[in-house]
Structure formats: C-alpha cells, structure tokens
C-alpha cells in the first residue's frame, strides 16, 4: 500500500493578474521505505511538491493522501499535528537554534512532537551517536562544521521516528565528501528503520544514492525511474 499518493494534484499561485501553474495534474505513489529524489531545474515545481507533501501548503486541485487520509482537506491544526507526528524535515540551511546545543536541538523536536515514548534523553543520545556526534552533543552550532550541523538536522528529523522524511536540497551547502557522509547516514537509516525519504535536489550525488528518481519539468512528471 502507498504511504503517499498524489492524485491529479495541481498548484496555482497568483502574482497580481498572472497565474503561475507550479504543478499540473501530478500523479504519484510513494510506498513505505522508498528512498526517492525529485529533481529538475529551478522553478520546475519540485519544492512546491515537497511543500504540499509536507502539509506546508494546500493543492489548488486534486488530492494528496497520506495513509489514505486527504492532507488537503485537513484543518490547519490537523495539518500541524500531522506534521509533528508523521513528518521529519531536513533543510539545506540546517535551521538549528543557535543558543541550543546539538542535544537540545534534537530534544526540542521531541518536545514539539509531544512524544512520550521512552526516555527522551536516551533517544536523543542514541540518534546523535548514530549520526556520529556522540562526543559533540553538548556543543552549540557555532562550534560545529557545516557537515556536523547537517548531521544534527538529520538526527532532529529522525528522532521522533517519523513515517516520512522530506529533505529539501540537503547537500546544497556541503562539500562532496561531507555530502557523501550525510547521504550514507540517511541510506543506513532508510535501510535499518524503514523510514521513507523524499528529496528535492539538483545534486547528481543525491540522484546516485536514490533508489527512485522522479524528474519534474514545467510542473509535470517527465520521468519516473526505479533503480535495481
């Protein structure tokens, strides 16, 4: 069964009297445990697609289903609860809270989610150790490298054990070696935890690691290729 289904999804933005068709009747199924990347040129609609999947925006028409529940018809409060419980976000700019340590940044994600499963401290420590930051968990972001901050972002997205992780250009600000390290962490998490990952990217390295590549052009799916 599909974790995520887009049925004839369109998104139109208005800029004055002009209508911009960001997505045009997109149909897509994403199964649990997939490691999928959405790519295409700037302005093609890939970030719009991630925003809709992440319940950060609503489609103009069509249906977007998560476990057979229509995200687009949820109230704002229901969407917020859905995001907290089911979705982890990884952004290219990390979006860490500078006054909090690595540990506290990850712990904060659990507090927002209202997750009471087990000891939060144990879960935070465990996920930071898994991303290779066990000895740096009490450092603040300004004492860490860009790659280390992105590892915190990965840990923060995964600590609440979401069904889906959305990563928007997660390697854009990293060098190639650090990008490889971060991607290998996510591949391992996908394999071990069965977490579903959907990326948007320009990075060829991300596409190499992906098990499925969906190309978007002019708001439409131009190619949908599964590897292996």
């Amino acid at each position: 069964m599909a974790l995520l289904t887009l049925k004839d999804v369109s998104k139109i933005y208005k800029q004055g009297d002009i209508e911009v068709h960001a997505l045009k009747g997109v149909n897509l199924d994403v199964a649990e445990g997939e490691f999928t990347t959405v790519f295409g040129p700037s302005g093609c609609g890939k970030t719009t697609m991630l925003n809709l999947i992440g319940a950060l925006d609503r489609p103009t028409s069509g249906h977007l289903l998560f476990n057979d529940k229509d995200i687009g018809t949820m109230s704002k409060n229901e969407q917020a609860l859905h995001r907290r419980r089911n979705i982890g976000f990884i952004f290219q700019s990390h979006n860490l809270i500078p006054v909090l340590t690595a540990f506290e940044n990850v712990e904060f994600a659990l507090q927002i989610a209202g997750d009471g499963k087990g000891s939060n401290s144990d879960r935070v420590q465990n996920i930071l150790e898994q991303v290779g930051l066990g000895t740096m968990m009490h450092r603040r972001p300004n004492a860490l490298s860009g790659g280390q901050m992105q590892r915190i972002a990965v840990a923060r997205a995964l600590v609440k054990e979401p069904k889906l992780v959305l990563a928007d250009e997660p390697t854009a600000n990293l060098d190639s070696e650090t990008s490889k390290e971060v991607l290998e962490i996510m591949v391992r998490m996908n394999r071990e935890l069965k977490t579903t990952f959907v990326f948007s990217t320009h990075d060829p390295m991300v596409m190499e690691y992906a098990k499925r590549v969906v190309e978007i052009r002019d708001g439409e799916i131009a190619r949908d290729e599964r590897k292996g």
Side-chain angles (χ1 to χ4, degrees):
M1 185 182 78
L3 174 69
L4 186 70
T5 300
L6 282 72
K7 293 184 178 180
D8 201 26
V9 169
S10 295
K11 181 63 182 181
I12 300 172
Y13 295 103
K14 288 193 175 182
Q15 297 179 350
D17 295 330
I18 300 173
E19 289 189 343
V20 178
H21 292 256
L23 290 179
K24 306 171 185 175
V26 169
N27 292 285
L28 185 71
D29 286 329
V30 178
E32 286 191 56
E34 284 199 17
F35 199 80
T36 297
T37 185
V38 179
F39 84 101
S42 295
C44 71
K46 61 184 184 295
T47 297
T48 296
M49 182 184 289
L50 254 66
N51 286 341
L52 295 176
I53 292 172
L56 298 171
D57 201 353
R58 297 178 188 270
T60 303
S61 62
H63 299 278
L64 204 160
L65 308 179
F66 188 99
N67 274 343
D68 288 333
K69 294 182 180 179
D70 196 329
I71 299 171
T73 62
M74 291 180 179
S75 69
K76 287 185 178 180
N77 287 341
E78 288 172 335
Q79 286 187 331
L81 184 62
H82 165 67
R83 288 193 299 270
R84 291 199 300 267
R85 288 180 173 174
N86 298 314
I87 302 177
F89 294 91
I90 302 172
F91 305 98
Q92 60 176 299
S93 57
H94 318 307
N95 288 356
L96 302 178
I97 301 172
V99 298
L100 299 183
T101 65
F103 185 97
E104 290 166 341
N105 265 281
V106 176
E107 184 180 43
F108 188 55
L110 280 180
Q111 292 170 347
I112 290 175
D115 196 323
K117 292 185 290 186
S119 167
N120 281 1
S121 294
D122 289 346
R123 289 175 66 183
V124 173
Q125 182 172 337
N126 181 57
I127 197 70
L128 284 168
E129 288 173 351
Q130 287 187 59
V131 300
L133 291 176
T135 62
M136 302 180 188
M137 64 178 67
H138 298 301
R139 295 188 188 181
R140 291 180 178 174
N142 64 2
L144 298 168
S145 68
Q148 289 166 341
M149 285 191 286
Q150 195 63 313
R151 288 173 185 238
I152 297 172
V154 172
R156 181 183 58 189
L158 289 167
V159 70
K160 62 182 181 180
E161 300 174 3
K163 292 183 171 66
L164 173 67
V165 171
L166 299 176
D168 189 11
E169 300 283 4
T171 61
N173 297 322
L174 305 178
D175 61 67
S176 59
E177 186 59 35
T178 305
S179 295
K180 182 178 179 181
E181 292 172 359
V182 170
L183 285 166
E184 287 180 349
I185 289 169
M186 289 190 275
V187 167
R188 189 180 78 246
M189 298 295 189
N190 169 255
R191 182 177 63 250
E192 294 177 358
L193 303 178
K194 309 303 180 187
T195 306
T196 305
F197 282 81
V198 177
F199 298 80
S200 74
T201 190
H202 291 97
D203 189 346
M205 186 181 292
V206 177
M207 288 181 261
E208 288 176 14
Y209 276 84
K211 299 173 186 175
R212 181 183 182 187
V213 176
V214 178
E215 181 181 3
I216 303 289
R217 288 194 176 275
D218 299 322
E220 299 176 299
I221 293 180
R223 177 165 64 100
D224 185 353
E225 177 184 335
R226 297 178 188 270
K227 299 179 182 179

